[in-house]
Amino acid sequence: MVNGGAGAQTAAVSDDVVKIGVLTDMSGQFSHESGEGAVTAVKMAVEDFGGKVLGKPIEVLVADHQNKPDTASALARKWFDVDRVDMIGNLINSSIALTVSGLAKEKNRIAIINGSGSSRLTGDACTPNSVHYAYDTYALARGTGSALAKDGKKSWYFLTADYAFGHALEADTSAVVKALGGTVVGATRYPPDSFDQSSFLLQAQSSKAQVVALAGSGNVLVNSIKSAQEFGIPSGGQTLAGLLVWITDIKSMGLSAAQGLVLTNAFYWDRDDETRAWSKRFYERMKRMPHMGDAGDYSSTMHYLRAVQAAGTDEAQAVMSKMRDMPINDFFAKNGRIREDGRMVHDMYVYEVKKPSESKGEWDFYKLREVIPGDQAFRPLKDSACPLVKKAG
């Protein structure tokens, strides 16, 4: 473990404290993908770092954005202007992540996004003050779309959550499907808080598409998959694709409903000895296994604190420079790196959910189908819409 306080000299730390804010969904439909798990992961990183950096204490603030961009904006402004927060993390809900990363640029602070997926965060909405860490819609689309295309699944129908994340996930996956010779036969967009998906699922079923792709997340996704099983969509020959599935979702719906789902993920607790060791510690606190958001919140917080230590200050641009210079080698990622567009590049993994008969334990859910190297998993810089990217030629 790193002790950030030991032997540290007095340095340029604003207000003599480094403040980290966890802005997340503590009570709403995405709380199982963020919430207390995100807070726990960040606090574990702070504790493991030694509770101090450059001889100054590290403080963690927590707030519930309630999935409302205006609420998130007001909280972030107060944190930046009044509480002098240096970095805001988690930021689940892509509309909120886009809002707060823009504020971080305006106030010259740092935003690290783990909960949200919109690839716009490193595209046209990139900033020099934000990092997109765990995953994005391009990587999810690249993994799941190509895996199913290899299985001969070429016709797709999308059920898409009608907000920034859903739109980006549908667009990125459609591009992958079409590039591999597939077709999109239709799409339905639903309000992200719509829990009854019956009419939408019936439209998808009647489309006869080989793949019914669920471009959403949270409790709505869980309900959709359960309902799809009840309507006989998988048993009728159509393949369900959960384009963003968290391990907590699998736990909630159970293997009987989830079996056979193909999904792309950045982290699985049972991947190797390092992931199992950290996950055991997380489990002791949360009584559940961690997902990629939790692991990303820990890893990115630790990377941020190491960058503060290396920079000798908590000034945002100095810290961002160190974060981009320093590789990430921990249980979450090997040889990870942060590009000029803010994308943290690392390997991604395509998994298939086990049948109940294949599972050997309470959280034994996934079997590995494919490892996607980081330089293939994420959108190439040459195709980036980020204005910070220096184009060749």
Side-chain angles (χ1 to χ4, degrees):
M1 294 181 186
V2 178
N3 188 331
Q9 71 277 17
T10 301
V13 172
S14 59
D15 304 325
D16 289 329
V17 60
V18 172
K19 291 186 179 181
I20 297 171
V22 184
L23 189 55
T24 187
D25 177 2
M26 296 297 293
S27 54
Q29 68 156 310
F30 304 124
S31 57
H32 295 296
E33 291 79 51
S34 54
E36 288 293 348
V39 175
T40 296
V42 170
K43 287 183 175 179
M44 284 175 66
V46 170
E47 290 169 19
D48 289 352
F49 201 81
K52 291 184 176 181
V53 59
L54 298 171
K56 305 299 183 182
I58 305 164
E59 184 179 337
V60 177
L61 286 71
V62 177
D64 185 351
H65 58 49
Q66 302 172 46
N67 292 305
K68 298 175 182 176
D70 55 344
T71 299
S73 178
L75 287 165
R77 283 186 183 277
K78 178 181 179 296
W79 273 358
F80 288 148
D81 292 341
V82 179
D83 299 315
R84 310 301 296 169
V85 167
D86 298 290
M87 184 271 277
I88 296 180
N90 187 257
L91 294 169
I92 198 163
N93 187 318
S94 290
S95 301
I96 283 161
L98 289 161
T99 298
V100 175
S101 60
L103 275 174
K105 177 184 177 183
E106 176 187 329
K107 303 294 184 180
N108 194 33
R109 306 299 169 78
I110 293 174
I112 301 181
I113 299 112
N114 275 295
S116 305
S118 175
S119 58
R120 284 192 60 210
L121 288 158
T122 52
D124 66 302
C126 73
T127 85
N129 293 66
S130 54
V131 178
H132 203 184
Y133 204 84
Y135 73 100
D136 65 18
T137 52
Y138 182 94
L140 298 179
R142 161 75 176 79
T144 305
S146 60
L148 290 173
K150 289 174 185 175
D151 289 346
K153 311 291 187 182
K154 294 296 184 74
S155 61
W156 288 59
Y157 190 100
F158 286 89
L159 290 181
T160 302
D162 193 12
Y163 75 118
F165 166 75
H167 299 171
L169 192 47
E170 179 188 327
D172 286 338
T173 309
S174 295
V176 169
V177 169
K178 292 174 182 177
L180 294 171
T183 58
V184 176
V185 301
T188 299
R189 289 185 173 177
Y190 62 84
D193 56 355
S194 171
F195 284 90
D196 184 2
Q197 303 280 36
S198 301
S199 62
F200 308 135
L201 286 165
L202 289 171
Q203 291 176 52
Q205 189 174 38
S206 64
S207 75
K208 306 299 184 183
Q210 291 173 297
V211 178
V212 176
L214 305 170
S217 66
N219 295 337
V220 174
L221 174 78
V222 172
N223 291 339
S224 296
I225 292 173
K226 288 180 177 178
S227 296
Q229 294 285 359
E230 293 168 4
F231 290 154
I233 290 177
S235 61
Q238 291 173 295
T239 297
L240 282 179
L243 297 178
L244 173 58
V245 180
W246 306 84
I247 197 169
T248 46
D249 296 333
I250 305 298
K251 178 66 172 175
S252 178
M253 70 182 81
L255 287 181
S256 293
Q259 62 183 309
L261 271 177
V262 175
L263 57 96
T264 302
N265 220 295
F267 174 83
Y268 181 43
W269 71 269
D270 200 20
R271 190 173 75 219
D272 57 37
D273 288 343
E274 280 187 279
T275 60
R276 285 187 284 272
W278 184 82
S279 298
K280 180 181 178 182
R281 294 177 55 218
F282 182 90
Y283 184 90
E284 287 169 355
R285 299 192 185 204
M286 286 295 297
K287 306 307 176 190
R288 68 162 174 83
M289 283 300 178
H291 49 57
M292 63 178 170
D294 304 316
D297 281 320
Y298 178 98
S299 176
S300 59
T301 301
M302 187 66 80
H303 188 62
Y304 167 77
L305 292 171
R306 286 175 173 146
V308 172
Q309 183 80 34
T313 177
D314 60 355
E315 193 279 321
Q317 292 309 313
V319 175
M320 286 294 302
S321 178
K322 289 296 183 183
M323 289 180 73
R324 286 188 288 265
D325 288 346
M326 297 163 59
I328 295 147
N329 282 293
D330 59 12
F331 70 93
F332 179 78
K334 299 302 178 194
N335 298 314
R337 69 185 193 282
I338 297 171
R339 301 189 311 201
E340 59 200 275
D341 61 349
R343 175 68 257 163
M344 201 282 266
V345 175
H346 53 85
D347 293 350
M348 294 289 287
Y349 305 86
V350 180
Y351 293 104
E352 183 175 327
V353 178
K354 292 182 175 182
K355 299 174 183 176
S357 60
E358 295 173 317
S359 177
K360 298 177 181 178
E362 185 182 10
W363 291 89
D364 180 24
F365 292 159
Y366 298 159
K367 49 188 177 185
L368 182 66
R369 286 183 50 143
E370 183 181 357
V371 178
I372 307 174
D375 59 356
Q376 298 175 29
F378 297 96
R379 192 187 311 277
L381 273 179
K382 66 181 179 61
D383 298 332
S384 176
C386 173
L388 302 173
V389 174
K390 299 176 181 66
K391 302 293 185 182

